[in-house]
Amino acid sequence: MSLGVRCSHRRLKLVGQVVVVVVCLNILLLVLSFNWKILNSSPYMNYLPFDGSVVNHAVPKETALPKFENENELRIPTASSHLQRHPVLHPVNKDYVQKTACSYRTTAYLFDKPIVLDEPPFMVYTKLMACYEEGNIADFGGKFAMFINAIINPKQFENLQKGGENIEDVWNQDEKDEYFRLLPGFFRVPCTSKPVIEFEPPDHLVHWMEMLACYKTNETDLLRFPKVSSVTLAVQRYEYVNLYHTMTDFYNAFVLMLIFGVAPSKLNILFVDAHPVGTLDDVWSTLFGRYIRAGRLESPTLFTNLLWAQLGYFSPLNSHYLSTVPYLTEFRDFFLTKHNISTSHSIHCDRLNVVIIWRRDYVAHPRNKNGNVVRKFDNEEEILQQVRATLGPTANVHGHQLDALPMREQLSIIAGCDILIGMHGAGLSHILFLPPSSGVIELKPSYTDSALNHFGAFSRWRNLTYTNWDNSDTSNERDSFKTYIPRSVIDERVKRVYSQICKT
């Protein structure tokens, strides 16, 4: 065979090999592309949390995912699987997905720290989650519920007040007038038939469920309603100016914020009550997003993601028999950080910071115009002197009427406190924000039930040193609900706490 023929044969052989390689590469790319499309079509990839990060999902198999024909039009799945077209007010990118009420987290991040959400009782409720109407409604164990595209009609309630009035304008109003008497259709959600969600009496969610009605998406133009985006937490508050009871609502809201993956500033708060302005209102907007009064809505309003909050009385913070309550360290960090207060404090036993909470008369709500308060100290100055005598001149000992101070100032005092002393009362809720090295002394008059264990439980859950005193000598009880605290009681309790927090 000539040299020319051999060269031609080699060239043909090389060309054939190149062709085979190209064909194989194309086949490989085709397979990868096909698998990627399948992966992206999975509902576990498409249903994202409200802030776009990865969560666990419970998506009904029959849910139809939205498809897009162009960037100015989207299709919204309805309860009957009919796809109704709605123009949008802004371009929708190709990654947009319809959110489901049935999505929740098993891990959340707070200040770049992971929080594994696997603690009862909240995780029990998520495991009991029931999903309805193709993901438009979710019931979480009969404790809280989520609704997609809920409409609230402010005309569907009967009430003299709307909420947010100045206290001077509503003196002596009956407490029942501060709770809405809702009418059917106050809440309307997309559904073909009203789901059965069994809340536990006396939860107000039982009444809310009775007043809930369905609307058909294909017959309702959602674009004509004013819209509140992101997640809105609907709360009915009880004892709304009492720090202890409001703390149960704050804590519940914090945990639900984690479960549903909402950034704090994106969690709207909806007050479904008619309370006048209260001293704790602004704490809500400091911790979370804006707060809205349902009674002040001027027309039916669309809430894209409406969450019915768990009743404050059902909060783990109100279950004092529990051995533990989850996420309290994270709650403390969240609360202090949102108020720009440092979460780190080092104890120095040669110069302890001691805070005594004074209970003094003050006006908090319309039914106590004189501001009368019970469980007050009769001998404030004597108590200060005894604590200083027990701990020595280097200790920083101060008494404060905390409820007369802005919340940030209260927290600044508490975050650096080593020993907290106070009468049984809502102010001791600040135990939740004490440094982990602190100790607590709780004092009770003879007329206060010694079995009340609110703040012993708070201290136990936070692993803080705790001691108490229950007055058994009626001669210590003075006029105007004041109690004399013997110096010996202060001396012994302070020494006891000191020996525990400074034992190393």
Side-chain angles (χ1 to χ4, degrees):
M1 183 181 296
S2 69
L3 179 61
V5 172
R6 285 198 303 270
C7 289
S8 298
H9 180 70
R10 288 173 182 169
R11 283 196 295 270
L12 288 173
K13 185 176 181 180
L14 180 61
V15 171
Q17 291 173 341
V18 171
V19 170
V20 170
V21 170
V22 170
V23 170
C24 290
L25 286 175
N26 277 287
I27 292 173
L28 179 60
L29 289 173
L30 182 63
V31 171
L32 288 175
S33 176
F34 180 74
N35 286 336
W36 176 250
K37 288 181 179 179
I38 291 177
L39 182 62
N40 273 337
S41 69
S42 167
Y44 291 92
M45 291 292 293
N46 277 279
Y47 277 82
L48 303 180
F50 304 121
D51 63 356
S53 52
V54 178
V55 299
N56 265 11
H57 303 280
V59 180
K61 293 181 179 179
E62 69 277 14
T63 299
L65 299 179
K67 300 182 183 297
F68 307 96
E69 297 186 359
N70 61 62
E71 289 196 338
N72 291 313
E73 184 180 273
L74 62 85
R75 291 183 174 185
I76 302 177
T78 68
S80 60
S81 295
H82 173 78
L83 297 181
Q84 176 74 19
R85 293 179 179 174
H86 289 273
V88 294
L89 302 178
H90 55 81
V92 179
N93 65 51
K94 62 182 178 180
D95 296 321
Y96 177 88
V97 292
Q98 179 73 15
K99 301 174 180 65
T100 170
C102 310
S103 298
Y104 62 92
R105 286 178 179 262
T106 56
T107 301
Y109 284 83
L110 184 67
F111 309 128
D112 296 325
K113 296 179 181 179
I115 304 174
V116 179
L117 302 175
D118 59 355
E119 298 289 337
F122 287 93
M123 294 311 104
V124 174
Y125 308 147
T126 57
K127 290 180 180 178
L128 294 173
M129 188 273 295
C131 196
Y132 301 100
E133 299 293 334
E134 299 181 337
N136 283 324
I137 301 171
D139 162 31
F140 291 84
K143 296 297 183 182
F144 50 94
M146 174 67 86
F147 303 91
I148 298 297
N149 290 335
I151 299 171
I152 290 181
N153 188 347
K155 299 184 184 300
Q156 293 302 108
F157 76 86
E158 296 175 341
N159 220 69
L160 179 64
Q161 305 296 348
K162 295 183 177 181
E165 296 79 15
N166 292 322
I167 191 171
E168 296 84 1
D169 298 329
V170 290
W171 285 126
N172 300 317
Q173 75 174 356
D174 198 310
E175 186 176 8
K176 65 180 177 60
D177 292 331
E178 296 182 11
Y179 300 100
F180 290 147
R181 293 179 290 278
L182 303 183
L183 301 175
F186 180 83
F187 297 103
R188 295 175 60 220
V189 298
C191 51
T192 52
S193 60
K194 182 175 172 179
V196 177
I197 301 180
E198 296 183 356
F199 296 103
E200 178 184 350
D203 195 338
H204 60 262
L205 298 185
V206 174
H207 177 55
W208 287 13
M209 196 65 206
E210 291 172 350
M211 299 302 106
L212 183 141
C214 292
Y215 73 83
K216 295 182 179 179
T217 309
N218 62 335
E219 298 177 0
T220 306
D221 180 11
L222 298 181
L223 289 178
R224 69 185 179 89
F225 298 109
K227 183 174 71 172
V228 178
S229 300
S230 189
V231 179
T232 300
L233 184 69
V235 181
Q236 180 169 306
R237 299 167 297 161
Y238 300 88
E239 302 180 61
Y240 67 107
V241 288
N242 180 292
L243 183 62
Y244 169 81
H245 289 288
T246 306
M247 198 63 67
T248 64
D249 285 325
F250 288 152
Y251 173 79
N252 286 353
F254 168 74
V255 178
L256 293 178
M257 177 190 78
L258 298 179
I259 290 174
F260 291 98
V262 192
S265 62
K266 299 296 184 182
L267 181 64
N268 305 309
I269 304 298
L270 180 71
F271 294 151
V272 188
D273 56 50
H275 298 304
V277 171
T279 55
L280 297 174
D281 291 356
D282 289 342
V283 180
W284 284 99
S285 55
T286 299
L287 297 176
F288 308 108
R290 59 175 173 153
Y291 66 79
I292 305 164
R293 298 184 188 276
R296 298 289 173 176
L297 295 175
E298 296 181 354
S299 62
T301 302
L302 175 69
F303 290 82
T304 59
N305 302 98
L306 183 66
L307 177 59
W308 285 1
Q310 183 182 16
L311 177 64
Y313 289 121
F314 291 167
S315 172
L317 289 184
N318 206 37
S319 300
H320 308 139
Y321 61 88
L322 294 175
S323 58
T324 61
V325 168
Y327 319 121
L328 288 185
T329 298
E330 294 83 356
F331 180 60
R332 173 182 183 266
D333 291 348
F334 166 74
F335 212 101
L336 293 179
T337 301
K338 292 294 287 184
H339 284 87
N340 295 316
I341 302 296
S342 172
T343 60
S344 61
H345 168 75
S346 297
I347 187 172
H348 297 282
C349 288
D350 58 339
R351 53 182 190 277
L352 290 178
N353 296 323
V354 181
V355 175
I356 308 170
I357 301 176
W358 303 137
R359 285 178 61 85
R360 295 170 177 165
D361 292 344
Y362 77 106
V363 176
H365 59 77
R367 286 162 296 286
N368 186 11
K369 191 173 183 179
N370 295 324
N372 295 327
V373 173
V374 300
R375 300 188 301 276
K376 292 173 287 195
F377 290 111
D378 182 61
N379 54 329
E380 292 180 354
E381 186 60 34
E382 189 177 358
I383 292 169
L384 283 171
Q385 292 175 1
Q386 184 57 58
V387 175
R388 288 168 180 153
T390 300
L391 293 176
T394 59
N396 300 308
V397 183
H398 298 282
H400 298 277
Q401 184 185 349
L402 291 180
D403 52 56
L405 303 175
M407 180 56 69
R408 188 180 186 281
E409 192 171 343
Q410 295 182 44
L411 294 171
S412 180
I413 292 169
I414 293 298
C417 173
D418 299 308
I419 299 178
L420 182 65
I421 303 173
M423 284 283 201
H424 177 83
L428 284 178
S429 301
H430 278 296
I431 289 170
L432 295 174
F433 310 122
L434 287 171
S437 56
S438 300
V440 177
I441 300 173
E442 180 182 9
L443 309 165
K444 294 179 183 177
S446 59
Y447 53 83
T448 296
D449 187 351
S450 60
L452 293 177
N453 192 33
H454 302 59
F455 307 111
F458 278 20
S459 300
R460 183 178 72 252
W461 295 331
R462 293 212 54 225
N463 295 314
L464 302 179
T465 296
Y466 170 85
T467 187
N468 68 320
W469 173 76
D470 296 288
N471 181 38
S472 59
D473 184 352
T474 55
S475 67
N476 288 327
E477 303 300 346
R478 309 293 169 82
D479 293 339
S480 302
F481 297 101
K482 293 182 178 180
T483 302
Y484 177 83
I485 312 297
R487 294 183 73 123
S488 59
V489 169
I490 297 298
D491 181 62
E492 192 276 330
R493 265 54 177 195
V494 170
K495 287 178 177 176
R496 184 187 302 179
V497 170
Y498 176 89
S499 68
Q500 291 296 312
I501 66 176
C502 292
K503 59 186 176 182
T504 58

